[in-house]
Amino acid sequence: MTVATSQKLPLDWTVIIYMATIHLVALLSLLPSNFSWGAVGLAFFLYWVTGALGITLGFHRMVTHCSFQVPKWLEYILVFCGTLACQGGPIRWVGLHRLHHKYSDTENDPHDSNLGFWWSHMGWMLHEISADNEVPRYTQDIAGDPFYQFCQKYMILIQMALGLLLYFLGGWPFVIWGIFVRLVIVFHFTWFVNSATHKFGYKSHESNDNSKNCWWVALLTFGEGWHNNHHAYQHSARHGLAWWEIDITWMTIQVLKSLGLATNVKLAPSRETN
């Protein structure tokens, strides 16, 4: 797929309206009446719950790459946290990410970085892409699970329920910051892994694509920015392989392992232990 052909793909107006609405409502946080330090604190707490525990730990390392296993009850909690990030539901998210790794930076990669920063960051989501047709093929291990199906089907209603809870706890400031501002933050930080880490940084391993290690993306995404390491060793639970490559998510997995909650933890060959 070339830049020209990508621009000819039909626009997905449902997604465009969805994204525009979230971003526009988030701007209401600029009004003094919608500001409170409690609301800001809530937004950053939910950024950790949904971005770190949900997307990074749950959707990505646990489900997509099977880097470790946890008891089913904890797996469902992490998947639920990821669903609260409102990035398309667990089944579609996992399927598209597995496709990305299989075809990284080639024509069949949903967010091929060769098509430019904008395309890999969020442009691909605003079009009807053929990769969606491949999702069932790459999610056979989770597609039949009733809980995953529930999260996939009712992602928006789950978010609305959270919004109602936040409204009763702190009014509109909690809703604006805890839902809309937080969603925008987690959206773009997650998308930087698709865009920035395929443009900026350094390569420490051969991965046959444009993936790079980018320290500032790692900082924003709890360790996901060590992306070249990850593409070289996709199933490793640890992305920050050098001692100075800080990986908060790997530290979280270590805590879960020490508690007996994380098992079958997979590591890059040089990091494997008995």
Side-chain angles (χ1 to χ4, degrees):
M1 182 190 302
T2 64
V3 174
T5 57
S6 71
Q7 292 172 345
K8 293 179 181 179
L9 290 172
L11 292 172
D12 189 332
W13 285 103
T14 300
V15 174
I16 292 172
I17 294 170
Y18 171 75
M19 289 297 176
T21 300
I22 291 173
H23 283 74
L24 288 173
V25 175
L27 293 176
L28 295 176
S29 63
L30 299 175
L31 297 176
S33 60
N34 288 326
F35 178 85
S36 75
W37 285 113
V40 174
L42 172 70
F44 277 92
F45 171 72
L46 290 177
Y47 151 57
W48 172 72
V49 169
T50 61
L53 299 183
I55 295 296
T56 299
L57 182 66
F59 277 19
H60 191 209
R61 301 198 196 186
M62 180 184 69
V63 183
T64 302
H65 295 290
C66 303
S67 297
F68 64 97
Q69 294 176 327
V70 297
K72 187 61 70 173
W73 63 267
L74 181 54
E75 175 186 333
Y76 286 165
I77 288 175
L78 295 176
V79 169
F80 185 80
C81 290
T83 301
L84 289 175
C86 255
Q87 294 185 11
I91 298 175
R92 184 174 186 267
W93 198 103
V94 169
L96 291 177
H97 194 73
R98 287 174 175 173
L99 272 165
H100 162 62
H101 274 272
K102 184 174 179 63
Y103 300 109
S104 183
D105 292 326
T106 66
E107 182 177 348
N108 292 319
D109 182 354
H111 36 82
D112 178 6
S113 68
N114 292 310
L115 299 181
F117 186 93
W118 166 254
W119 176 262
S120 59
H121 190 70
M122 67 177 296
W124 67 278
M125 288 180 289
L126 308 181
H127 293 79
E128 297 178 9
I129 56 175
S130 60
D132 278 313
N133 298 325
E134 296 295 314
V135 167
R137 178 182 170 193
Y138 289 88
T139 55
Q140 296 179 33
D141 56 325
I142 60 174
D145 188 302
F147 185 77
Y148 281 79
Q149 293 174 351
F150 171 80
C151 290
Q152 182 70 37
K153 185 176 182 180
Y154 298 109
M155 178 191 72
I156 300 298
L157 290 179
I158 292 170
Q159 195 73 205
M160 291 173 65
L162 175 61
L164 287 173
L165 174 62
L166 297 185
Y167 179 78
F168 285 115
L169 290 175
W172 285 114
F174 270 36
V175 174
I176 299 299
W177 284 85
I179 300 293
F180 295 96
V181 173
R182 183 261 308 176
L183 284 178
V184 170
I185 290 172
V186 177
F187 280 170
H188 288 281
F189 287 2
T190 302
W191 300 341
F192 277 140
V193 179
N194 297 335
S195 56
T197 61
H198 283 255
K199 294 292 183 184
F200 311 116
Y202 61 92
K203 295 177 74 74
S204 53
H205 299 85
E206 180 51 57
S207 57
N208 298 315
D209 58 17
N210 300 328
S211 62
K212 296 177 176 63
N213 294 320
C214 184
W215 69 268
W216 59 269
V217 177
L219 181 65
L220 297 175
T221 58
F222 309 94
E224 297 293 84
W226 310 119
H227 204 53
N228 175 243
N229 296 342
H230 171 52
H231 272 253
Y233 303 107
Q234 296 180 25
H235 300 292
S236 175
R238 180 175 185 173
H239 290 191
L241 300 182
W243 67 266
W244 47 269
E245 293 174 338
I246 299 173
D247 186 349
I248 299 297
T249 302
W250 166 239
M251 296 177 188
T252 304
I253 294 171
Q254 287 182 297
V255 171
L256 292 176
K257 184 178 181 180
S258 70
L259 296 174
L261 294 174
T263 58
N264 194 25
V265 178
K266 301 174 183 176
L267 295 172
S270 60
R271 300 285 179 173
E272 286 181 348
T273 57
N274 297 322

